[in-house]
Amino acid sequence: MFKAGFSRVDVTPPLGSYISGYFHARYAKGVLDPLELNAAAFSDGENTVLLIIADFIGVDKIHCDLIREKIALRVGIPAEHIMLTALHQHTSVCIGMKEPNTRSDVFYMEDVYRKYCDVAQMAINDMAECAPSYAAEETQEPVAFIRRYFMKDGSVATNPGERRDEILRPCNDADHTVRLLRFRREGKKDIALVNFCTHPDVIGGEYLSADWPGFVRRFVEHDLDGVSCLLLNGYQGDSNHCDFIGGVHGGYEHSRHMGRVIADTVLRIWERTKSLKIERVGAAMDLVYNKTRTEGEAEYEKARALLDGDGEAHMKNPLVGITELGRATRIVNIRKSAPIYQKVPVTALALGDTVIVGLGGEPFTHYGVALRERLPNKTVITACCANGYEGYLPTEKAFEEGGYEAVSSPFSPSLEKDCVETAVRLIDEIE
């Protein structure tokens, strides 16, 4: 008997909290809309798995491990059956070892840990028998764009801005598909799990917001009576809302527009979902060990001077581009702590032949293409920043091309193959 449950709690941090996501400091001056934890629990009567989605820019692996252990003790399921993901909004906080909030605001952190446990318990308590179904369709207008471009001078530029006239073409194809898992429940609200892939970096500024994922949740719940909505951000490391060829948009109203476009797609396919047969749920986890890339280590002093000791060079010197800053940050971090291998968490949740594949960082869009090619008989849902937040996860091709994400990433070019192979193996193990 397949069951599903839903729950939600507010985790909006206090004003003054450090907002992550850029190369300069920002501190929260207000709240545009609340930040949340949204949870779904699934059970086949014997096994239970949990998916908890946070409106955080990321949660480092060490904190994910601790939170999962706390949840496991609270609800009595294995920690390996819990996937924690972050939606990566750039108008939110990061739960990380280097983050000011995590280090200094012990009251907020204790509250966050407790709320993770609460939302897990409430989702399990809410479980009820349900009929699962699935549909997918592209948005009627594009709201996700590859942010990496081949330039006329032979380089690759991320968010080329004023260099618009120098663009040749995007480096890849964006994923415009909205994927919907619908769970019909008798006597309780239906659950909509919506999957879309792009950076939630639309608003900027110093006010907290869930960005377009928050709008999707609110629009779906407003338009579909008796529905609870979760939004799961997919592999978005090389995409965002900016079309540097056709025109750049941003701000709160554009974030609202993106949410409306994605929610409208959900509405179009809501009654066209096809039934799924889910007799068994399961989960498996592993770590990919990828050799640390040490290229550029001899340039440490130059890199350290560029960052000016505080990582705010971009604000102080706008002529310094993000590619240079990213490379400098990676080189400085090599000296601070230089493990031989970088670790990337890989997590698979299986709901019958539907698999949610989470990677602990920001995978490029093509990771999803590669997984679906390897798993043609599965419905694949992707999740970024899952059970860890270990940086950009570029493709082998992107490492060859260069650009900000590739030069700032501490990983080696075998990363994409390692992650995809590990995910496929984990899914085989669940079966």
Side-chain angles (χ1 to χ4, degrees):
M1 179 187 298
F2 178 69
K3 295 182 178 180
F6 170 85
S7 66
R8 171 179 291 155
V9 298
D10 189 306
V11 287
T12 306
L15 299 187
S17 294
Y18 182 87
I19 303 177
S20 303
Y22 299 141
F23 281 99
H24 60 270
R26 295 176 296 155
Y27 298 91
K29 293 181 177 178
V31 179
L32 294 174
D33 44 75
L35 306 183
E36 300 170 344
L37 297 179
N38 286 271
F42 306 103
S43 176
D44 58 16
E46 181 178 347
N47 301 298
T48 299
V49 297
L50 273 168
L51 171 65
I52 304 178
I53 308 168
D55 287 333
F56 295 142
I57 195 168
V59 183
D60 284 0
K61 179 182 178 298
I62 190 168
H63 289 285
C64 284
D65 290 347
L66 176 60
I67 293 166
R68 287 170 42 249
E69 289 173 6
K70 289 178 178 291
I71 292 171
L73 286 172
R74 169 78 76 86
V75 303
I77 69 172
E80 292 77 15
H81 284 200
I82 303 167
M83 183 189 289
L84 310 180
T85 80
L87 292 178
H88 197 63
Q89 293 100 329
H90 284 50
T91 40
S92 182
V93 299
C94 181
I95 308 299
M97 292 299 292
K98 300 175 183 178
E99 297 300 314
N101 304 313
T102 310
R103 297 198 311 266
S104 62
D105 196 338
V106 294
F107 299 106
Y108 177 64
M109 286 306 302
E110 288 177 359
D111 195 40
V112 166
Y113 291 150
R114 183 171 60 252
K115 286 183 174 181
Y116 264 105
C117 293
D118 289 349
V119 80
Q121 183 70 71
M122 289 188 294
I124 290 175
N125 292 348
D126 184 61
M127 285 194 302
E129 187 175 358
C130 69
S133 56
Y134 173 78
E137 185 175 293
E138 289 191 354
T139 56
Q140 288 194 323
E141 68 172 89
V143 291
F145 303 89
I146 294 299
R147 67 183 195 174
R148 290 164 46 85
Y149 294 84
F150 293 117
M151 308 300 284
K152 293 177 181 177
D153 64 4
S155 66
V156 166
T158 296
N159 295 337
E162 295 179 357
R163 299 180 63 194
R164 176 178 173 181
D165 292 340
E166 303 172 40
I167 292 173
L168 281 177
R169 65 184 186 279
C171 292
N172 204 348
D173 295 322
D175 185 352
H176 304 293
T177 304
V178 174
R179 296 175 173 87
L180 168 67
L181 283 170
R182 177 180 179 181
F183 303 96
R184 296 177 175 89
R185 306 193 300 168
E186 288 293 332
K188 288 196 173 187
K189 286 186 175 183
D190 287 358
I191 300 170
L193 176 57
V194 181
N195 185 218
F196 191 74
C197 311
T198 200
H199 249 78
D201 182 20
V202 186
I203 299 170
E206 297 174 305
Y207 286 77
L208 298 166
S209 172
D211 210 310
W212 62 262
F215 279 116
V216 173
R217 295 193 300 253
R218 293 192 292 274
F219 282 137
V220 168
E221 292 179 353
H222 176 270
D223 296 340
L224 294 172
D225 188 41
V227 173
S228 298
C229 180
L230 305 92
L231 188 288
L232 187 61
N233 197 5
Y235 299 164
Q236 46 70 41
D238 58 344
S239 67
N240 66 11
H241 62 286
C242 296
D243 176 11
F244 282 94
I245 295 175
V248 179
H249 303 283
Y252 197 70
E253 288 306 312
H254 188 66
S255 175
R256 183 197 302 271
H257 175 71
M258 290 177 64
R260 183 70 269 172
V261 170
I262 296 166
D264 282 349
T265 309
V266 173
L267 299 182
R268 284 198 305 276
I269 61 179
W270 184 251
E271 297 298 344
R272 293 193 274 118
T273 56
K274 294 184 178 180
S275 178
L276 297 173
K277 186 176 182 180
I278 301 178
E279 295 180 341
R280 184 171 180 270
V281 305
M285 295 180 56
D286 204 352
L287 293 174
V288 164
Y289 287 83
N290 181 265
K291 194 168 184 180
T292 301
R293 186 159 52 105
T294 58
E295 169 266 322
E297 188 175 8
E299 303 170 42
Y300 172 78
E301 293 300 335
K302 179 181 177 181
R304 185 171 176 272
L306 180 64
L307 295 178
D308 198 24
D310 61 9
E312 296 193 9
H314 189 52
M315 181 173 64
K316 296 176 181 179
N317 182 2
L319 296 179
V320 178
I322 61 170
T323 300
E324 297 170 81
L325 288 174
R327 175 181 168 84
T329 301
R330 178 181 59 79
I331 291 170
V332 168
N333 286 339
I334 290 173
R335 181 71 62 88
K336 287 180 179 177
S337 60
I340 297 174
Y341 291 95
Q342 302 287 328
K343 295 180 287 188
V344 180
V346 181
T347 310
L349 296 186
L351 311 177
D353 286 332
T354 299
V355 290
I356 302 173
V357 182
L359 299 179
E362 298 184 65
F364 276 26
T365 306
H366 190 265
Y367 276 66
V369 175
L371 273 171
R372 292 183 177 98
E373 288 176 350
R374 290 292 305 276
L375 300 165
N377 298 320
K378 303 288 186 183
T379 297
V380 177
I381 304 294
T382 61
C384 68
C385 304
N387 287 338
Y389 176 46
E390 311 308 307
Y392 287 109
L393 310 182
T395 59
E396 183 176 359
K397 178 173 175 283
F399 278 115
E400 295 174 1
E401 295 166 349
Y404 162 64
E405 299 88 350
V407 302
S408 65
S409 174
F411 301 104
S412 297
S414 66
L415 180 66
E416 178 187 9
K417 180 176 180 292
D418 295 343
C419 288
V420 171
E421 292 290 342
T422 300
V424 171
R425 174 176 58 78
L426 291 177
I427 291 165
D428 287 342
E429 289 177 6
I430 295 172
E431 294 182 341

